[in-house]
PDB file of all heavy atoms in Angstrom:
ATOM      1  N   LEU W 101     122.751 104.911  99.019  1.00 96.00           N
ATOM      2  CA  LEU W 101     124.084 105.582  99.224  1.00 96.00           C
ATOM      3  C   LEU W 101     125.178 104.906  98.428  1.00 96.00           C
ATOM      4  O   LEU W 101     126.164 105.542  98.017  1.00 96.00           O
ATOM      5  CB  LEU W 101     124.393 105.609 100.708  1.00 96.00           C
ATOM      6  CG  LEU W 101     123.712 106.673 101.554  1.00 96.00           C
ATOM      7  CD1 LEU W 101     123.988 106.445 103.047  1.00 96.00           C
ATOM      8  CD2 LEU W 101     124.207 108.076 101.134  1.00 96.00           C
ATOM      9  N   ASN W 102     125.089 103.613  98.231  1.00 94.00           N
ATOM     10  CA  ASN W 102     126.115 102.837  97.496  1.00 94.00           C
ATOM     11  C   ASN W 102     126.073 103.174  95.967  1.00 94.00           C
ATOM     12  O   ASN W 102     127.010 102.816  95.258  1.00 94.00           O
ATOM     13  CB  ASN W 102     125.936 101.329  97.696  1.00 94.00           C
ATOM     14  CG  ASN W 102     126.104 100.934  99.148  1.00 94.00           C
ATOM     15  OD1 ASN W 102     126.927 101.489  99.836  1.00 94.00           O
ATOM     16  ND2 ASN W 102     125.242  99.935  99.582  1.00 94.00           N
ATOM     17  N   LYS W 103     124.964 103.801  95.543  1.00 96.00           N
ATOM     18  CA  LYS W 103     124.806 104.052  94.132  1.00 96.00           C
ATOM     19  C   LYS W 103     125.037 105.519  93.802  1.00 96.00           C
ATOM     20  O   LYS W 103     125.180 105.884  92.601  1.00 96.00           O
ATOM     21  CB  LYS W 103     123.376 103.668  93.682  1.00 96.00           C
ATOM     22  CG  LYS W 103     122.971 102.217  94.027  1.00 96.00           C
ATOM     23  CD  LYS W 103     121.572 101.952  93.631  1.00 96.00           C
ATOM     24  CE  LYS W 103     121.146 100.532  94.026  1.00 96.00           C
ATOM     25  NZ  LYS W 103     121.875  99.503  93.225  1.00 96.00           N
ATOM     26  N   CYS W 104     125.028 106.409  94.737  1.00 97.00           N
ATOM     27  CA  CYS W 104     125.042 107.883  94.522  1.00 97.00           C
ATOM     28  C   CYS W 104     126.454 108.361  94.217  1.00 97.00           C
ATOM     29  O   CYS W 104     127.471 107.895  94.814  1.00 97.00           O
ATOM     30  CB  CYS W 104     124.585 108.656  95.748  1.00 97.00           C
ATOM     31  SG  CYS W 104     122.741 108.564  95.906  1.00 97.00           S
ATOM     32  N   LYS W 105     126.509 109.326  93.285  1.00 98.00           N
ATOM     33  CA  LYS W 105     127.753 110.041  92.966  1.00 98.00           C
ATOM     34  C   LYS W 105     127.432 111.550  93.091  1.00 98.00           C
ATOM     35  O   LYS W 105     126.280 111.990  92.943  1.00 98.00           O
ATOM     36  CB  LYS W 105     128.249 109.760  91.548  1.00 98.00           C
ATOM     37  CG  LYS W 105     128.541 108.276  91.321  1.00 98.00           C
ATOM     38  CD  LYS W 105     129.136 108.112  89.935  1.00 98.00           C
ATOM     39  CE  LYS W 105     128.189 108.524  88.862  1.00 98.00           C
ATOM     40  NZ  LYS W 105     127.039 107.618  88.784  1.00 98.00           N
ATOM     41  N   ALA W 106     128.404 112.328  93.430  1.00 98.00           N
ATOM     42  CA  ALA W 106     128.195 113.756  93.598  1.00 98.00           C
ATOM     43  C   ALA W 106     127.609 114.336  92.328  1.00 98.00           C
ATOM     44  O   ALA W 106     128.051 114.045  91.223  1.00 98.00           O
ATOM     45  CB  ALA W 106     129.529 114.478  93.913  1.00 98.00           C
ATOM     46  N   GLY W 107     126.610 115.186  92.509  1.00 98.00           N
ATOM     47  CA  GLY W 107     125.939 115.765  91.363  1.00 98.00           C
ATOM     48  C   GLY W 107     124.609 115.029  90.972  1.00 98.00           C
ATOM     49  O   GLY W 107     123.836 115.560  90.121  1.00 98.00           O
ATOM     50  N   ASP W 108     124.369 113.874  91.547  1.00 98.00           N
ATOM     51  CA  ASP W 108     123.144 113.118  91.234  1.00 98.00           C
ATOM     52  C   ASP W 108     121.920 113.794  91.799  1.00 98.00           C
ATOM     53  O   ASP W 108     121.972 114.440  92.932  1.00 98.00           O
ATOM     54  CB  ASP W 108     123.227 111.680  91.831  1.00 98.00           C
ATOM     55  CG  ASP W 108     124.151 110.760  91.030  1.00 98.00           C
ATOM     56  OD1 ASP W 108     124.497 111.159  89.904  1.00 98.00           O
ATOM     57  OD2 ASP W 108     124.479 109.701  91.497  1.00 98.00           O
ATOM     58  N   LEU W 109     120.825 113.673  91.088  1.00 98.00           N
ATOM     59  CA  LEU W 109     119.525 114.069  91.609  1.00 98.00           C
ATOM     60  C   LEU W 109     118.874 112.875  92.269  1.00 98.00           C
ATOM     61  O   LEU W 109     118.804 111.756  91.701  1.00 98.00           O
ATOM     62  CB  LEU W 109     118.639 114.593  90.465  1.00 98.00           C
ATOM     63  CG  LEU W 109     119.082 115.815  89.717  1.00 98.00           C
ATOM     64  CD1 LEU W 109     117.968 116.303  88.782  1.00 98.00           C
ATOM     65  CD2 LEU W 109     119.471 116.913  90.699  1.00 98.00           C
ATOM     66  N   VAL W 110     118.328 113.055  93.483  1.00 98.00           N
ATOM     67  CA  VAL W 110     117.717 111.998  94.232  1.00 98.00           C
ATOM     68  C   VAL W 110     116.272 112.397  94.525  1.00 98.00           C
ATOM     69  O   VAL W 110     115.957 113.507  94.857  1.00 98.00           O
ATOM     70  CB  VAL W 110     118.434 111.769  95.567  1.00 98.00           C
ATOM     71  CG1 VAL W 110     117.717 110.714  96.443  1.00 98.00           C
ATOM     72  CG2 VAL W 110     119.865 111.331  95.297  1.00 98.00           C
ATOM     73  N   GLU W 111     115.341 111.398  94.328  1.00 98.00           N
ATOM     74  CA  GLU W 111     113.940 111.653  94.598  1.00 98.00           C
ATOM     75  C   GLU W 111     113.512 110.744  95.793  1.00 98.00           C
ATOM     76  O   GLU W 111     113.813 109.545  95.699  1.00 98.00           O
ATOM     77  CB  GLU W 111     113.054 111.342  93.437  1.00 98.00           C
ATOM     78  CG  GLU W 111     111.578 111.587  93.649  1.00 98.00           C
ATOM     79  CD  GLU W 111     110.682 111.098  92.533  1.00 98.00           C
ATOM     80  OE1 GLU W 111     110.897 109.966  92.095  1.00 98.00           O
ATOM     81  OE2 GLU W 111     109.841 111.866  92.070  1.00 98.00           O
ATOM     82  N   PHE W 112     112.840 111.304  96.755  1.00 98.00           N
ATOM     83  CA  PHE W 112     112.307 110.523  97.894  1.00 98.00           C
ATOM     84  C   PHE W 112     110.787 110.460  97.659  1.00 98.00           C
ATOM     85  O   PHE W 112     110.123 111.465  97.352  1.00 98.00           O
ATOM     86  CB  PHE W 112     112.574 111.187  99.206  1.00 98.00           C
ATOM     87  CG  PHE W 112     114.033 111.467  99.491  1.00 98.00           C
ATOM     88  CD1 PHE W 112     114.607 112.697  99.273  1.00 98.00           C
ATOM     89  CD2 PHE W 112     114.830 110.419  99.902  1.00 98.00           C
ATOM     90  CE1 PHE W 112     115.916 112.928  99.504  1.00 98.00           C
ATOM     91  CE2 PHE W 112     116.206 110.648 100.123  1.00 98.00           C
ATOM     92  CZ  PHE W 112     116.755 111.897  99.957  1.00 98.00           C
ATOM     93  N   VAL W 113     110.197 109.248  97.814  1.00 97.00           N
ATOM     94  CA  VAL W 113     108.789 109.091  97.511  1.00 97.00           C
ATOM     95  C   VAL W 113     108.108 108.303  98.661  1.00 97.00           C
ATOM     96  O   VAL W 113     108.693 107.460  99.318  1.00 97.00           O
ATOM     97  CB  VAL W 113     108.550 108.319  96.216  1.00 97.00           C
ATOM     98  CG1 VAL W 113     108.981 109.141  95.039  1.00 97.00           C
ATOM     99  CG2 VAL W 113     109.321 106.975  96.194  1.00 97.00           C
ATOM    100  N   ALA W 114     106.856 108.635  98.854  1.00 95.00           N
ATOM    101  CA  ALA W 114     105.973 107.987  99.879  1.00 95.00           C
ATOM    102  C   ALA W 114     104.499 108.210  99.409  1.00 95.00           C
ATOM    103  O   ALA W 114     104.171 109.207  98.811  1.00 95.00           O
ATOM    104  CB  ALA W 114     106.200 108.489 101.237  1.00 95.00           C
ATOM    105  N   THR W 115     103.649 107.224  99.646  1.00 92.00           N
ATOM    106  CA  THR W 115     102.272 107.300  99.248  1.00 92.00           C
ATOM    107  C   THR W 115     101.588 108.517  99.932  1.00 92.00           C
ATOM    108  O   THR W 115     101.712 108.744 101.177  1.00 92.00           O
ATOM    109  CB  THR W 115     101.525 106.049  99.659  1.00 92.00           C
ATOM    110  OG1 THR W 115     102.120 104.931  98.966  1.00 92.00           O
ATOM    111  CG2 THR W 115     100.027 106.143  99.242  1.00 92.00           C
ATOM    112  N   GLY W 116     100.891 109.315  99.150  1.00 91.00           N
ATOM    113  CA  GLY W 116     100.103 110.435  99.673  1.00 91.00           C
ATOM    114  C   GLY W 116     100.941 111.634  99.958  1.00 91.00           C
ATOM    115  O   GLY W 116     100.435 112.590 100.639  1.00 91.00           O
ATOM    116  N   GLN W 117     102.189 111.689  99.576  1.00 94.00           N
ATOM    117  CA  GLN W 117     103.047 112.850  99.776  1.00 94.00           C
ATOM    118  C   GLN W 117     103.611 113.316  98.463  1.00 94.00           C
ATOM    119  O   GLN W 117     103.747 112.549  97.494  1.00 94.00           O
ATOM    120  CB  GLN W 117     104.213 112.540 100.768  1.00 94.00           C
ATOM    121  CG  GLN W 117     103.779 112.280 102.159  1.00 94.00           C
ATOM    122  CD  GLN W 117     104.941 112.085 103.101  1.00 94.00           C
ATOM    123  OE1 GLN W 117     106.123 112.333 102.717  1.00 94.00           O
ATOM    124  NE2 GLN W 117     104.688 111.704 104.303  1.00 94.00           N
ATOM    125  N   TYR W 118     103.955 114.663  98.403  1.00 97.00           N
ATOM    126  CA  TYR W 118     104.642 115.168  97.240  1.00 97.00           C
ATOM    127  C   TYR W 118     106.085 114.497  97.250  1.00 97.00           C
ATOM    128  O   TYR W 118     106.665 114.299  98.265  1.00 97.00           O
ATOM    129  CB  TYR W 118     104.838 116.681  97.348  1.00 97.00           C
ATOM    130  CG  TYR W 118     103.569 117.481  97.098  1.00 97.00           C
ATOM    131  CD1 TYR W 118     102.949 118.092  98.174  1.00 97.00           C
ATOM    132  CD2 TYR W 118     103.091 117.624  95.834  1.00 97.00           C
ATOM    133  CE1 TYR W 118     101.772 118.763  97.980  1.00 97.00           C
ATOM    134  CE2 TYR W 118     101.908 118.353  95.604  1.00 97.00           C
ATOM    135  CZ  TYR W 118     101.300 118.922  96.701  1.00 97.00           C
ATOM    136  OH  TYR W 118     100.120 119.658  96.527  1.00 97.00           O
ATOM    137  N   PRO W 119     106.586 114.180  96.030  1.00 97.00           N
ATOM    138  CA  PRO W 119     107.909 113.683  95.964  1.00 97.00           C
ATOM    139  C   PRO W 119     108.881 114.749  96.400  1.00 97.00           C
ATOM    140  O   PRO W 119     108.605 115.946  96.183  1.00 97.00           O
ATOM    141  CB  PRO W 119     108.112 113.315  94.494  1.00 97.00           C
ATOM    142  CG  PRO W 119     107.104 114.111  93.759  1.00 97.00           C
ATOM    143  CD  PRO W 119     105.902 114.269  94.713  1.00 97.00           C
ATOM    144  N   HIS W 120     109.952 114.360  97.041  1.00 98.00           N
ATOM    145  CA  HIS W 120     110.969 115.383  97.494  1.00 98.00           C
ATOM    146  C   HIS W 120     112.270 115.126  96.772  1.00 98.00           C
ATOM    147  O   HIS W 120     112.814 113.975  96.723  1.00 98.00           O
ATOM    148  CB  HIS W 120     111.158 115.218  99.034  1.00 98.00           C
ATOM    149  CG  HIS W 120     111.998 116.270  99.594  1.00 98.00           C
ATOM    150  ND1 HIS W 120     111.530 117.586  99.813  1.00 98.00           N
ATOM    151  CD2 HIS W 120     113.237 116.276 100.036  1.00 98.00           C
ATOM    152  CE1 HIS W 120     112.484 118.295 100.327  1.00 98.00           C
ATOM    153  NE2 HIS W 120     113.569 117.546 100.490  1.00 98.00           N
ATOM    154  N   TRP W 121     112.842 116.156  96.158  1.00 98.00           N
ATOM    155  CA  TRP W 121     114.034 116.032  95.362  1.00 98.00           C
ATOM    156  C   TRP W 121     115.224 116.687  96.097  1.00 98.00           C
ATOM    157  O   TRP W 121     115.025 117.654  96.878  1.00 98.00           O
ATOM    158  CB  TRP W 121     113.901 116.748  94.030  1.00 98.00           C
ATOM    159  CG  TRP W 121     113.017 115.968  93.019  1.00 98.00           C
ATOM    160  CD1 TRP W 121     111.842 115.307  93.303  1.00 98.00           C
ATOM    161  CD2 TRP W 121     113.279 115.764  91.636  1.00 98.00           C
ATOM    162  NE1 TRP W 121     111.319 114.734  92.157  1.00 98.00           N
ATOM    163  CE2 TRP W 121     112.193 114.951  91.141  1.00 98.00           C
ATOM    164  CE3 TRP W 121     114.327 116.128  90.796  1.00 98.00           C
ATOM    165  CZ2 TRP W 121     112.155 114.597  89.796  1.00 98.00           C
ATOM    166  CZ3 TRP W 121     114.277 115.761  89.456  1.00 98.00           C
ATOM    167  CH2 TRP W 121     113.187 114.997  88.938  1.00 98.00           C
ATOM    168  N   ALA W 122     116.427 116.147  95.896  1.00 98.00           N
ATOM    169  CA  ALA W 122     117.608 116.673  96.530  1.00 98.00           C
ATOM    170  C   ALA W 122     118.805 116.479  95.597  1.00 98.00           C
ATOM    171  O   ALA W 122     118.726 115.649  94.613  1.00 98.00           O
ATOM    172  CB  ALA W 122     117.859 116.022  97.865  1.00 98.00           C
ATOM    173  N   VAL W 123     119.886 117.176  95.838  1.00 98.00           N
ATOM    174  CA  VAL W 123     121.127 117.029  95.075  1.00 98.00           C
ATOM    175  C   VAL W 123     122.155 116.358  96.018  1.00 98.00           C
ATOM    176  O   VAL W 123     122.443 116.864  97.091  1.00 98.00           O
ATOM    177  CB  VAL W 123     121.640 118.412  94.661  1.00 98.00           C
ATOM    178  CG1 VAL W 123     123.027 118.207  93.888  1.00 98.00           C
ATOM    179  CG2 VAL W 123     120.641 119.171  93.788  1.00 98.00           C
TER     180      VAL W 123
END
Side-chain angles (χ1 to χ4, degrees):
L101 280 172
N102 297 324
K103 305 176 183 294
C104 284
K105 300 185 297 295
D108 283 347
L109 298 187
V110 176
E111 181 188 51
F112 304 101
V113 290
T115 299
Q117 292 186 10
Y118 288 104
H120 188 73
W121 286 43
V123 179

